[in-house]
Amino acid sequence: MLEHGGKLRWAAKRYGIPLAQWLDLSTGINPVTWPVPPQPAAIWNRLPEDDDDLVEVARAYYSARSVLPVAGSQAAIMALPGLLCPGPGKRRIGILSPSYAEHAYAWQQAGHELVPLSPENIEATLPGLDGLVLVSPNNPTGHIFSKTTLLQWHENLAARGGFLLIDEAFMDATPEHSLADHSHLSNLVVLRSLGKFFGLAGARVGFVLAHHDLLEKLQEILGPWTVSGPSRYVAKAALADVDWHHENRAYLEMCGERLQGLLSHYGLAPVGGTALFQWLRHDDAIQVHDWFARQGIWLRLFEEPSSLRFGLPGTEEGWQRLEAALQDLQETFAPKEVGEAVL
Ligand SMILES: Cc1ncc(COP(=O)(O)O)c(C=O)c1O
């Protein structure tokens, strides 16, 4: 199993700090969850029903022709190699690096050759690839690919029977960059998640947006009732809550700017990020991560490249606590040790 943010119980044990005292900034999950209403009791008693209008509501929210609800986009990440590259042949799959590591893991497990890519060398490498897997905005770098470029790459790949897979788990704050409205094209798959923007990571709901035929095959592989009745109920209501989408977009944009400004002010200038997280490179990321953990602040550490990701505090008290820690950090370490983020 790969490392992920959010393992707060583990951190509490490791550092001997009670769970309730932690400020968890280790994920890119919105700390302010979409306000979940009480659910009809019958929902716990009945099997989930596919004709509950969740699909129609999701199609409208994403502006996509065909969507399939899945138990978090993670479920699709694991199933897609078998579906997009069936058969025994080994394919060359270009994968963004650094990025959400579950993609590389799934394709490696399926026995394919991985070609690690940076946004700059994709164009030149494309002719030798059978498939391209990108995360946009990327986690943790925040890089967003232009729609025009992605559509050109898709055309190039599809003409040779290749595919483009785009993971848009962090796209909801910037929907204008989404490829969802093109996701009906053959050999193109777009993944979306309710875990990040809606703060509903525990509900385990995501969507695969793709050509209808591909979604039918995926549904067959995943089997019936993959998303629970209560999760379908909550997902449908959250996706239909247009006023909340607008308010939340403005709120998260403000939070992202605030976090970026705060970290920069205390010498930890991010090199990338989204409304939901900021990412900075630091030669001593392990030590800085450990220092924050001793203050009860849990960050996401990346060892390769040596870097840290900060998520959003969910309360004003949390913001104040982060600022106080950043101030202490500057005073505790000599400026040349900490305070010079590597650009
Ligand atoms: C880029 C990206 N994609 C997909 C996922 C999986 O999200 P979920 O399975 O909750 O939809 C994550 C989780 O951190 C992620 O960062």
Side-chain angles (χ1 to χ4, degrees):
M1 299 287 270
L2 300 175
E3 279 297 310
H4 290 283
K7 290 168 76 177
L8 209 53
R9 286 174 202 279
W10 182 89
K13 247 189 224 164
R14 159 89 170 72
Y15 287 91
I17 300 173
L19 200 59
Q21 288 176 23
W22 284 85
L23 174 60
D24 184 9
L25 306 181
S26 70
T27 78
I29 297 167
N30 184 353
V32 183
T33 311
W34 177 76
V36 177
Q39 298 165 27
I43 239 171
W44 296 97
N45 182 252
R46 299 182 58 79
L47 283 168
E49 288 167 296
D50 285 347
D51 53 356
D52 58 359
D53 288 343
L54 171 62
V55 163
E56 284 68 29
V57 172
R59 284 175 52 211
Y61 174 75
Y62 293 121
S63 306
R65 288 194 208 167
S66 307
V67 310
L68 178 71
V70 288
S73 46
Q74 183 61 37
I77 289 172
M78 291 159 68
L80 281 169
L83 186 63
L84 291 170
C85 293
K90 193 173 183 169
R91 318 285 166 85
R92 290 191 90 221
I93 309 296
I95 294 215
L96 206 54
S97 178
S99 192
Y100 183 58
E102 293 284 352
H103 288 286
Y105 184 71
W107 285 93
Q108 205 167 33
Q109 290 293 96
H112 298 290
E113 182 193 347
L114 301 193
V115 183
L117 298 169
S118 66
E120 295 72 32
N121 63 13
I122 293 175
E123 185 83 40
T125 316
L126 200 66
L129 297 178
D130 299 311
L132 179 59
V133 180
L134 301 177
V135 179
S136 181
N138 190 28
N139 172 13
T141 67
H143 185 90
I144 295 184
F145 291 88
S146 98
K147 272 182 91 157
T148 320
T149 307
L150 289 175
L151 289 170
Q152 278 165 5
W153 291 347
H154 166 257
E155 203 177 304
N156 180 310
L157 287 157
R160 295 180 280 115
F163 68 88
L164 174 63
L165 166 58
I166 301 278
D167 178 346
E168 296 186 349
F170 288 97
M171 192 56 98
D172 300 59
T174 52
E176 66 279 12
H177 296 295
S178 174
L179 269 198
D181 55 350
H182 287 79
S183 57
H184 53 276
L185 297 174
S186 295
N187 302 34
L188 175 63
V189 180
V190 178
L191 302 181
R192 302 292 295 250
S193 173
L194 254 64
K196 319 301 181 191
F197 177 81
F198 291 93
L200 289 168
R204 310 303 310 131
V205 185
F207 288 87
V208 183
L209 286 42
H211 191 281
H212 180 71
D213 295 348
L214 185 121
L215 295 184
E216 266 190 358
K217 286 185 196 148
L218 181 58
Q219 187 160 27
E220 250 171 57
I221 293 174
L222 297 175
W225 313 307
T226 49
V227 180
S228 74
S231 289
R232 291 184 71 103
Y233 180 87
V234 169
K236 187 176 131 187
L239 290 171
D241 192 350
V242 177
D243 290 346
W244 189 87
H245 304 159
H246 289 304
E247 280 163 31
N248 192 43
R249 231 163 251 145
Y251 169 74
L252 290 179
E253 196 176 321
M254 187 194 71
C255 289
E257 281 168 18
R258 182 174 178 182
L259 184 58
Q260 205 252 4
L262 193 64
L263 293 170
S264 304
H265 181 78
Y266 288 100
L268 296 176
V271 284
T274 68
L276 284 162
F277 61 80
Q278 294 294 317
W279 180 63
L280 58 99
R281 297 186 68 163
H282 201 295
D283 282 343
D284 300 316
I286 294 178
Q287 288 84 343
V288 176
H289 180 264
D290 180 67
W291 186 89
F292 272 98
R294 287 173 198 283
Q295 327 293 314
I297 299 179
W298 193 231
L299 305 178
R300 177 72 166 94
L301 170 70
F302 297 91
E303 293 189 29
E304 191 46 54
S306 181
S307 53
L308 294 163
R309 192 186 64 204
F310 287 70
L312 301 177
T315 60
E316 192 49 40
E317 191 197 342
W319 283 100
Q320 302 297 336
R321 195 170 154 197
L322 173 62
E323 176 151 20
L326 286 165
Q327 214 160 10
D328 279 356
L329 180 79
Q330 233 183 13
E331 284 160 15
T332 309
F333 287 79
K336 68 174 181 17
E337 283 179 70
V338 173
E340 284 179 350
V342 184
L343 294 175

